[in-house]
Amino acid sequence: MINCLKQKMSEKLKTFVLIFFCLVSPLVGNNTAWGHATSPSAMKSPAPGTVLTTSEITFTWTSGQGVSEIWLGMGTTLTSVASKPWGNIYAQSQQTSTSVTISDIPLTGQPIHVRLWSKINGEWLFQDYEYDTSAIPPIIEFRALPDVLNTNLPTMVVSGNTDADNHVFVNEIPVQKDSESNFVTTVPLASGQNVINLTIETPSGDREHIIKHIVYNNQFYTGDRRLVYVDVVKSRPDTEGQGLDGTVVLDLDGDTILGMLDNKHIRGLSPQRTEIYMADGSVFSTSFHEEESEKLHFTEPIQPNGFIISPDGLRLYSGKEVLNRQTNILEPSLPVSILTGSSYGGAAIPGTPTISLDGETIYCRTSRNRMTLINTLTNTTWIPRLPWERRFQSDVSLSPNGRILAKSSYGGLNSNHIGFYDSTSLSRLAYVFVQGDFIGQVAYTTDGKYALAGSAGNPRYRGGKVTVIDMNTFEIVSTLKIDLADNLAVSEKDEVLVSSANRLGLDILELQSDQTLTRVKSFFLGIGRWRQSIFTGPKNDEIRKIIYKSRSD
């Protein structure tokens, strides 16, 4: 039996220390006590209240009294330092040394746990310390782009941030800033090399020039690249900034903003990853981003929450219309429109309908206790009664194996839920409360072990989040605060691509082995800054869809 005396030594913002004096340790020893003339080693630096900001830190501690050996373990969780190998970052005997320098400390914004062991009279005693880390992942914006950039997009995005008193010019044209000195504008590109000169001018007249050479070549091949397509809309008239309108294209591995397709709003990607479909029916190749001569023959614009593609890519569904992709001819209409979801205060609906893996069933048109299923073979509907859910509906999505259906809904500040259903019987498997108002899309890791849900947050109180749910237990295992995070997608490498008001663009997250999310980089687009509003949907929710394309060959 383990007997412990816990003494709370200090507690400060983001850093706390709990000191444990234990008579038995997992390292070695038995239950004999130690005398009053002895005392274990204690950490001197980093001191309580310190936030780790560099990946290499020297830790120092007291020598203690009667201590014959010291062991130090560092890990990403308390469990990792409390069980073999006693630390998943660092674990090693220090003999009787009173300092060590540890490298490669992950700066993720998540806490780091340090356990300092002291061997006294043959017994191991430990003291636990927890330090927050300051995550400093890269933010990719115009300054961070390579000096020479090749692209097949006809328009370049120039975004950034500067001091409040500075003036911004792009090719000597003034650029508007918002109240937090963020800016974004676009530059049309001519064929061949283009010079873009971003100039930052101080009040004293000093000028800094950031010059990039953008080579626009419509034969530049991007089929072998992992791309992210981001549908963005301009700010409402009562918001700040120039904004963007169209589809921004990001090179995920190249850490570059390739440019954008002006006034073209992406709605879908073909299963073969060779075509993208736009709201106006235009079709672009993903290899060269050239527009096909013939548009999709839908009679109405494609809505973001009313479009799906059959798994084989042969049929496109928009509203009630069914288009044969091979012939580009409309087939008999569906019995009902697949337009899905409902929202509060005119908020954008981030979700979509979905379709079964065999293409035979469309799930759409949800309400708080109903869902419409369309049989695409018989062109008939089934509207089962479901357990009661929240009033406003967002997304419907299927797990990778097609067996579990997720349905996200919300109804107020603390009433955001995901209902998980058997996709065949529609019996509810779980009902999970998710923090963060205005819940949006639900996506999955490639193995289906985890569901990831995005929430925009309350328009008045913020609180947007990305939530990780264990699909075996339907329990929340971690969350990460990101405002306006209602749109997301997951890559084949399980990177989470999520809209972010905190970085005014797109955050790229990774799911760690301990089930926590870590931000690894961000694409700064100068849009989507959170602004408070009352009795409306979230303001500045300018990212409306995120579509990921893996390599086509």
Side-chain angles (χ1 to χ4, degrees):
M1 181 175 182
I2 300 177
N3 297 311
C4 298
L5 172 63
K6 299 182 180 179
Q7 179 181 2
K8 187 173 182 182
M9 298 295 289
S10 66
E11 186 171 2
K12 298 185 178 182
L13 183 63
K14 292 189 175 180
T15 305
F16 64 86
V17 179
L18 286 177
I19 299 184
F20 297 78
F21 299 104
C22 297
L23 302 184
V24 175
S25 96
L27 290 176
V28 67
N30 51 46
N31 281 345
T32 59
W34 46 276
H36 294 291
T38 61
S39 64
S41 299
M43 191 67 68
K44 292 171 60 178
S45 67
T50 302
V51 178
L52 307 185
T53 59
T54 61
S55 59
E56 184 174 290
I57 300 287
T58 298
F59 289 82
T60 63
W61 51 87
T62 63
S63 57
Q65 296 183 38
V67 178
S68 60
E69 185 180 353
I70 296 168
W71 178 284
L72 187 136
M74 175 184 287
T76 54
T77 64
L78 188 59
T79 301
S80 68
V81 296
S83 57
K84 288 185 179 181
W86 319 113
N88 59 359
I89 298 174
Y90 178 90
Q92 191 170 312
S93 172
Q94 308 302 310
Q95 300 302 321
T96 57
S97 174
T98 58
S99 70
V100 66
T101 299
I102 301 178
S103 302
D104 300 321
I105 299 172
L107 300 178
T108 63
Q110 300 297 321
I112 294 295
H113 297 264
V114 175
R115 179 165 286 193
L116 185 64
W117 298 86
S118 301
K119 190 175 185 181
I120 300 176
N121 295 330
E123 310 301 332
W124 284 98
L125 317 172
F126 67 82
Q127 303 187 55
D128 277 343
Y129 301 83
E130 181 177 322
Y131 300 91
D132 273 1
T133 61
S134 176
I136 316 176
I139 295 180
I140 301 158
E141 41 90 63
F142 187 76
R143 291 173 183 263
L145 299 184
D147 291 340
V148 179
L149 174 66
N150 291 288
T151 186
N152 52 29
L153 279 302
T155 302
M156 193 60 200
V157 176
V158 181
S159 59
N161 178 275
T162 188
D163 293 338
D165 295 333
N166 289 345
H167 299 285
V168 178
F169 304 87
V170 172
N171 292 344
E172 297 304 321
I173 299 174
V175 175
Q176 181 183 356
K177 299 184 300 178
D178 67 16
S179 60
E180 294 184 357
S181 297
N182 304 300
F183 61 87
V184 61
T185 190
T186 58
V187 178
L189 302 176
S191 182
Q193 181 167 282
N194 299 258
V195 177
I196 299 181
N197 180 5
L198 169 63
T199 303
I200 308 296
E201 183 179 81
T202 66
S204 62
D206 294 331
R207 286 188 153 207
E208 176 191 7
H209 297 281
I210 300 98
I211 298 175
K212 306 293 181 182
H213 298 268
I214 313 297
V215 181
Y216 172 46
N217 177 7
N218 59 11
Q219 294 303 305
F220 178 68
Y221 184 67
T222 51
D224 58 353
R225 299 185 179 224
R226 299 198 309 142
L227 303 178
V228 184
Y229 295 95
V230 186
D231 177 31
V232 295
V233 298
K234 280 191 175 181
S235 300
R236 299 176 186 177
D238 60 342
T239 57
E240 302 168 280
Q242 183 174 339
L244 301 173
D245 188 71
T247 297
V248 178
V249 186
L250 311 175
D251 183 339
L252 193 56
D253 294 323
D255 291 344
T256 56
I257 303 170
L258 286 178
M260 71 177 295
L261 295 166
D262 273 319
N263 301 309
K264 297 291 183 178
H265 297 275
I266 190 168
R267 294 293 181 258
L269 169 72
S270 69
Q272 297 76 24
R273 306 181 299 281
T274 56
E275 295 180 335
I276 51 176
Y277 308 118
M278 300 299 185
D280 64 357
S282 56
V283 180
F284 288 79
S285 78
T286 58
S287 297
F288 302 103
H289 293 113
E290 56 189 359
E291 184 175 358
E292 293 187 6
S293 57
E294 188 176 23
K295 289 187 174 184
L296 302 176
H297 285 173
F298 289 118
T299 62
E300 300 289 339
I302 302 172
Q303 300 302 313
N305 60 326
F307 181 67
I308 49 177
I309 303 168
S310 65
D312 57 14
L314 296 181
R315 282 174 177 78
L316 311 181
Y317 301 89
S318 177
K320 293 180 65 173
E321 296 184 320
V322 183
L323 185 72
N324 185 307
R325 182 66 191 105
Q326 290 181 320
T327 64
N328 202 19
I329 296 174
L330 288 174
E331 297 183 347
S333 296
L334 297 172
V336 295
S337 170
I338 62 173
L339 203 67
T340 294
S342 59
S343 68
Y344 172 78
I349 299 172
T352 62
T354 192
I355 191 168
S356 60
L357 300 185
D358 58 12
E360 294 183 6
T361 305
I362 294 173
Y363 303 84
C364 62
R365 292 169 54 88
T366 61
S367 68
R368 67 175 67 188
N369 63 348
R370 297 280 188 180
M371 179 183 294
T372 300
L373 278 66
I374 303 174
N375 186 312
T376 61
L377 299 181
T378 62
N379 210 23
T380 57
T381 62
W382 174 41
I383 307 177
R385 181 177 291 276
L386 304 177
W388 186 87
E389 289 192 1
R390 298 299 165 178
R391 177 178 178 183
F392 304 108
Q393 308 291 312
S394 292
D395 195 26
V396 183
S397 65
L398 281 168
S399 61
N401 62 13
R403 297 174 184 171
I404 298 177
L405 185 77
K407 179 172 176 279
S408 62
S409 62
Y410 63 95
L413 184 59
N414 294 308
S415 57
N416 306 277
H417 294 81
I418 301 175
F420 290 99
Y421 296 85
D422 180 286
S423 62
T424 302
S425 67
L426 270 295
S427 60
R428 191 157 73 185
L429 306 173
Y431 195 44
V432 181
F433 165 71
V434 177
Q435 294 182 338
D437 204 359
F438 286 84
I439 190 172
Q441 289 187 278
V442 180
Y444 301 87
T445 54
T446 52
D447 57 11
K449 290 183 178 179
Y450 300 98
L452 298 116
S455 301
N458 186 271
R460 186 172 183 180
Y461 302 106
R462 310 189 74 151
K465 284 184 175 66
V466 178
T467 300
V468 183
I469 300 170
D470 188 316
M471 290 298 288
N472 290 319
T473 63
F474 296 107
E475 294 180 349
I476 294 174
V477 294
S478 66
T479 63
L480 186 64
K481 292 182 179 180
I482 302 176
D483 293 317
L484 297 184
D486 50 340
N487 287 277
L488 54 77
V490 178
S491 76
E492 84 284 358
K493 295 183 179 182
D494 289 338
E495 299 143 307
V496 184
L497 323 171
V498 58
S499 52
S500 170
N502 305 77
R503 259 71 58 181
L504 276 68
L506 210 72
D507 280 342
I508 312 300
L509 315 176
E510 288 184 355
L511 185 61
Q512 305 301 312
S513 58
D514 62 359
Q515 301 176 322
T516 60
L517 286 170
T518 299
R519 182 169 63 89
V520 294
K521 59 186 172 185
S522 301
F523 289 88
F524 182 92
L525 303 178
I527 61 170
R529 181 168 69 85
W530 183 89
R531 289 191 66 198
Q532 187 180 70
S533 60
I534 302 175
F535 304 122
T536 69
K539 281 191 175 182
N540 288 3
D541 194 6
E542 297 170 313
I543 292 179
R544 297 297 171 84
K545 189 175 287 290
I546 300 169
I547 292 180
Y548 168 76
K549 182 200 82 73
S550 61
R551 294 182 177 89
S552 302
D553 48 23

